[in-house]
Amino acid sequence: MPSPNTRALGFLNLIYSAEMIETQAAKTATPPAFAIADIAGTVGIGLRAPHYQAMLAQQPALGFLEVHSENFFGDGGQPLKYLRAFRAIYPMSLHGVGLSIGSTDKLNLNHLQKLKRLADAIEPALISEHLCWVGVNGRFVNDLLPLPYTAESLRHVISHVTQVQDFLGRRISVENVSSYLEFVDSDIPEWAFIQEVSDRAGCGILLDVNNIYVNAMNHGFDAKNYVDAIKPGSVTEIHLAGFQDTGEILIDTHGDRISSEVWALYAYTLARLGRVPTLIEWDSDLPALDVLLDEAKRAGAIMQQVPASLHPTQRRTHAA
C-alpha cells in the first residue's frame, strides 16, 4: 500500500498536471494554422494517453504530433483539454480510422461533421484517413479492410475522397494499409491505385513504409518497385512502425521497434521522395516514451543524410 506521503505526492502531481493542461489550452483558444510545409523535413510521434504526463513535462524536440481523430470527437472534457495543450506546443496531425472511405455505404455525415469541428478547432497541419473500408450496411468491424483494386472501386473511392475534401474545405491524405489477402478481381497494382486516387481526387498520399514492406512480403512483390511508382510531390507524410512475423505472414501490429528491413526501405524512400514528414507509430504494447523518442531520433538521422534540397512539393491546396 502506498504511504501517505506517496499518495499526497500523487495528488499534488494531478493538481499540477491539471494546471499545466489549463495553461497550455488557454494558449490555443485560436490556434494559428499550420501548413504541411511547416513540418517538412521533421519527425514526429503518435501521441497516446499513457505518455501525456511525460510529454508535458519533457516537451521533447519533435516536429509534430499525430492523434487518432475519433478519440477527440466528444464535446469538451479532458481529451480535448489535453489536445489543446499539446497543440500549443506542437503542430498537429489528425489521423482517422473510421471514415470508411472505401465502403459502398454513403459517407457518415455525423462523422464528417465531428471531424470538421475538430479540424476547425485544432487547425492541423495534416488530415489523413486510410484507403480501406471498416464496415458495410451500417455494421462495423474493428479492422482496416483492403479494397479490390479495380476501375469501379477506383471511381468510387475518388468520389468519396472528393466529397470529404469538399465538406472539410481541406485537402486530406490517404494511407496505404497492410493486408493479408488479395481480391481475385483486382486488376490494378496497389501502388498504381493509390497514385491514381491522389492524381484524380487531388489528395495527398500518406505513405506507410512498414505497410509496403509487410504487403511485399505477404503478396510477393518488390517493395522498391512500389516506392518507385509513387510521385514525390504526392506524398505528404510517411509512417513507420513495427510488425510481427508469425512465420507464415507479417502482421502490422504497431507493437514493436521498426525492423532493419523497414529502416532500409525508409532510407530508400527518402532518397527518392525527399525529406517527407515522418511519424513513428506505436499502438500496442506501448513502451516508455523514451523508446519512441529513440526511434524518432533514428528516423531523423536517416533524414539528415538526404540533401536538404530534396524537399517534396507540398504546397498544393484543395480548392473548396
Side-chain angles (χ1 to χ4, degrees):
M1 178 180 294
S3 67
N5 287 339
T6 302
R7 290 198 299 269
L9 181 60
F11 180 68
L12 289 174
N13 284 337
L14 285 175
I15 294 176
Y16 175 67
S17 296
E19 290 175 347
M20 286 181 65
I21 295 168
E22 293 294 344
T23 299
Q24 295 291 353
K27 296 178 182 179
T28 52
T30 308
F34 280 101
I36 298 173
D38 295 318
I39 61 171
T42 70
V43 178
I45 64 171
L47 179 64
R48 303 296 178 259
H51 293 152
Y52 283 176
Q53 303 307 322
M55 282 291 297
L56 284 173
Q58 297 180 33
Q59 297 188 19
L62 293 165
F64 66 106
L65 300 177
E66 187 165 280
V67 297
H68 288 153
S69 308
E70 291 83 359
N71 290 341
F72 302 91
F73 277 2
D75 297 321
Q78 288 292 92
L80 278 174
K81 286 184 178 180
Y82 272 111
L83 185 60
R84 290 192 179 100
F86 287 112
R87 177 60 179 79
I89 307 169
Y90 301 98
M92 197 67 62
S93 170
L94 298 179
H95 187 49
V97 296
L99 194 51
S100 202
I101 284 177
S103 174
T104 54
D105 288 355
K106 292 182 179 179
L107 291 170
N108 186 317
L109 180 59
N110 183 52
H111 189 111
L112 280 172
Q113 288 171 335
K114 290 180 178 180
L115 179 58
K116 180 174 173 55
R117 180 179 64 179
L118 179 63
D120 290 347
I122 298 301
E123 289 294 346
L126 291 163
I127 300 178
S128 57
E129 251 294 350
H130 294 84
L131 188 58
C132 71
W133 58 289
V134 298
V136 67
N137 294 330
R139 304 184 69 176
F140 295 89
V141 297
N142 188 28
D143 210 340
L144 305 171
L145 303 175
L147 295 168
Y149 298 124
T150 64
E152 181 182 14
S153 177
L154 180 63
R155 289 191 296 271
H156 180 71
V157 168
I158 290 168
S159 174
H160 271 185
V161 171
T162 300
Q163 290 175 55
V164 171
Q165 294 185 134
D166 286 345
F167 188 90
L168 298 178
R170 300 170 186 264
R171 187 187 188 207
I172 70 167
S173 298
V174 293
E175 180 182 8
N176 55 300
V177 299
S178 59
S179 62
Y180 314 102
L181 57 80
E182 294 179 297
F183 289 90
V184 295
D185 290 337
S186 291
D187 54 11
I188 302 173
E190 179 186 334
W191 48 90
F193 189 95
I194 193 170
Q195 184 63 65
E196 192 69 11
V197 171
S198 174
D199 289 346
R200 292 170 57 182
C203 65
I205 294 174
L206 195 174
L207 197 65
D208 192 310
V209 172
N210 181 66
N211 287 350
I212 292 176
Y213 181 77
V214 165
N215 289 0
M217 296 300 100
N218 289 345
H219 305 312
F221 61 79
D222 188 329
K224 290 183 178 180
N225 287 345
Y226 193 126
V227 174
D228 290 344
I230 301 300
K231 298 177 183 178
S234 301
V235 180
T236 57
E237 183 183 358
I238 287 173
H239 274 185
L240 298 172
F243 61 77
Q244 177 187 352
D245 187 347
T246 69
E248 296 182 358
I249 60 170
L250 303 185
I251 300 177
D252 175 39
T253 59
H254 293 189
D256 206 344
R257 283 186 178 269
I258 298 157
S259 73
S260 59
E261 296 88 352
V262 172
W263 281 124
L265 184 60
Y266 174 60
Y268 181 86
T269 302
L270 289 187
R272 170 170 167 72
L273 303 181
R275 293 186 177 186
V276 180
T278 299
L279 186 94
I280 306 298
E281 287 190 296
W282 204 312
D283 294 299
S284 62
D285 297 324
L286 198 66
L289 175 62
D290 286 346
V291 177
L292 272 74
L293 297 179
D294 186 57
E295 296 283 84
K297 182 179 179 180
R298 183 168 180 179
I302 294 173
M303 189 178 291
Q304 288 304 310
Q305 297 174 16
V306 177
S309 59
L310 284 181
H311 279 295
T313 303
Q314 297 178 339
R315 286 194 175 273
R316 290 193 301 174
T317 57
H318 171 67

